[in-house]
Amino acid sequence: MRIGELAERTGVSTRSLRYYEKNGLLHARRASNGYRTYTEDDVRLVSEIRALLQIGFTLEETRPFVDCLRRGHSSGGSCAESVEVYERKLSEIDQEIRVLLARRAEVAAQLAQSCPGCFVRG
């Protein structure tokens, strides 16, 4: 399939697909006319990248998942390198939650001090 069809099937722009290729996450083959061509495996790779990006992973963080799929695993998250990225991402999220909870407590305290009768939700 050509790049337009891959874009349509995965919900990713052709510009993004070229960017993935430039960053070594996607490898297009070239037809005799010079057009990029892709396979069903590429649909799976792009879908994995897209899903990870949507939940907050960086493009570089998707690399182990893509590599895992390329090695023939049924899931991009089934390799040790991917598990490490999952664990690191969870740790980062937990830290962000702690920071947000501390910030929320500070704002609630300032509200309570400024407006003793105001109700703080949550």
Side-chain angles (χ1 to χ4, degrees), residues 2-122:
R2 291 189 14 208
I3 195 167
E5 184 180 347
L6 180 61
E8 185 176 317
R9 289 187 56 191
T10 58
V12 174
S13 69
T14 57
R15 182 175 182 215
S16 291
L17 293 174
R18 287 186 196 98
Y19 185 71
Y20 299 167
E21 184 179 347
K22 178 182 174 189
N23 283 278
L25 293 169
L26 190 59
H27 303 293
R29 281 133 319 274
R30 295 286 180 161
S32 59
N33 59 7
Y35 290 154
R36 290 173 171 88
T37 61
Y38 301 93
T39 65
E40 288 300 316
D41 289 338
D42 296 316
V43 172
R44 198 163 152 221
L45 292 176
V46 172
S47 296
E48 182 86 4
I49 293 167
R50 183 173 187 248
L52 291 166
L53 292 175
Q54 286 181 329
I55 60 172
F57 285 73
T58 66
L59 192 59
E60 189 57 34
E61 289 171 330
T62 69
R63 191 171 303 281
F65 298 87
V66 170
D67 292 344
C68 188
L69 288 173
R70 279 200 185 116
R71 290 193 304 264
H73 294 270
S74 60
S75 165
S78 63
C79 295
E81 298 86 356
S82 303
V83 171
E84 288 176 21
V85 174
Y86 275 140
E87 290 172 341
R88 188 170 51 247
K89 184 56 78 175
L90 281 174
S91 179
E92 290 172 10
I93 291 169
D94 288 342
Q95 178 59 31
E96 290 172 11
I97 290 169
R98 285 189 292 275
V99 167
L100 287 172
L101 287 171
R103 188 177 304 155
R104 185 194 186 286
E106 180 61 31
V107 171
Q110 288 181 16
L111 173 61
Q113 184 178 8
S114 299
C115 181
C118 292
F119 176 71
V120 178
R121 295 183 191 119

